[in-house]
Amino acid sequence: MRLVCFPPAGSAASFFRSWPGAVPTEIDVVAVQYPGRQERLGEPPARSMGQLADSAVDALLPLADRPLAFFGHSMGALVAFEVATRLQTAHGIPGIPLFLAACKAPHRVQPLDIDCDDDQAVMLRMEALESPDRHVLVDPELRELAMPAVRADFGICKTYRRSERPEALDTTAAFYRGSSDPGTDGGDVNSWSEVIREGVSEAVLPGGHFFVIQHERLLAQDIIRRLYRLLPS
């Protein structure tokens, strides 16, 4: 099986750099690198969810030679859902298990209330969420390189909305949230259940929005247990 990981807003594939060492070798861990950062620094960042999801689909289609599973954190959870939707409806690849963290369901997401062109406002929001990438923005030279992609990601979070409930995916999902994350609550698993046809389980871990950093190994172990149930015997 191939586990595809989608990073949160303002982050990069390196958000998952330690994950390959935390899973057995028969599970191939792949991290999606959004344009405009790290080795894709020279590319313009995506400006809409549709653009980001469409490009991820194109990149992932050659990797569908193995069964796929998706993990997404925050904005990455929404990207994972949109990519899975496109793979099911346009490419006949249903049943991709989803592992979704720190995010409301697509039809319950509230547009981000922030001026995405105000670097200081964006940096304060990342600081409030205790983003692991906030330290990069302290250095003026690194900030100049990183901010275009960060602003674009926050712009996607500001403009993305599903006013109507999307068609349910033919798959299962696990929803993870931090116990003190102000952006999620106990009702979110029910909202995700409205767009995941075969059931959604919930796990609550101590911590805030980036609880996945603090509990990375525990989270990976839980995902592995669930994936082993799906692997062919």
Side-chain angles (χ1 to χ4, degrees), residues 23-42:
V23 303
T25 55
E26 61 263 34
I27 299 176
D28 182 27
V29 178
V30 176
V32 175
Q33 185 73 288
Y34 305 143
R37 63 214 76 199
Q38 294 183 347
E39 74 273 13
R40 302 187 70 184
L41 186 63

Side-chain angles (χ1 to χ4, degrees), residues 134-194:
R134 66 191 187 278
H135 304 298
V136 173
L137 304 181
V138 174
D139 183 290
E141 292 185 1
L142 292 177
R143 184 168 65 244
E144 185 178 354
L145 293 174
M147 279 308 296
V150 174
R151 285 194 296 266
D153 287 357
F154 274 66
I156 290 173
C157 294
K158 184 172 183 175
T159 59
Y160 175 78
R161 55 178 55 87
R162 284 267 198 163
S163 56
E164 297 182 358
R165 188 175 72 189
E167 181 180 351
L169 292 175
D170 298 323
T171 190
T172 61
F175 171 62
Y176 303 92
R177 65 182 180 90
S179 58
S180 57
D181 182 358
T184 58
D185 57 47
D188 289 329
V189 65
N190 298 323
S191 299
W192 278 110
S193 296
E194 294 174 352

Side-chain angles (χ1 to χ4, degrees), residues 12 23-24 28 58-59 80-81 85 94 102 114 123 128 150 165 183 198 210:
V23 303
D28 182 27
D58 292 340
F81 178 84
T85 296
I114 188 174
M123 291 168 62
V150 174
R165 188 175 72 189
E198 298 179 22
F210 283 93

Side-chain angles (χ1 to χ4, degrees), residues 1-4 6 60 64 66-71 80-81 83-88 92-100 169-174 196 198 227 230:
M1 182 168 281
R2 181 166 281 130
L3 176 63
V4 182
F6 295 81
L60 288 172
R66 291 192 191 185
L68 299 175
F70 290 172
F71 173 83
F81 178 84
V83 172
T85 296
R86 285 159 170 75
L87 290 175
Q88 174 173 300
I93 307 176
I96 298 174
L98 300 180
F99 300 91
L100 309 160
L169 292 175
D170 298 323
T171 190
T172 61
I196 304 294
E198 298 179 22
L227 285 179
L230 301 173

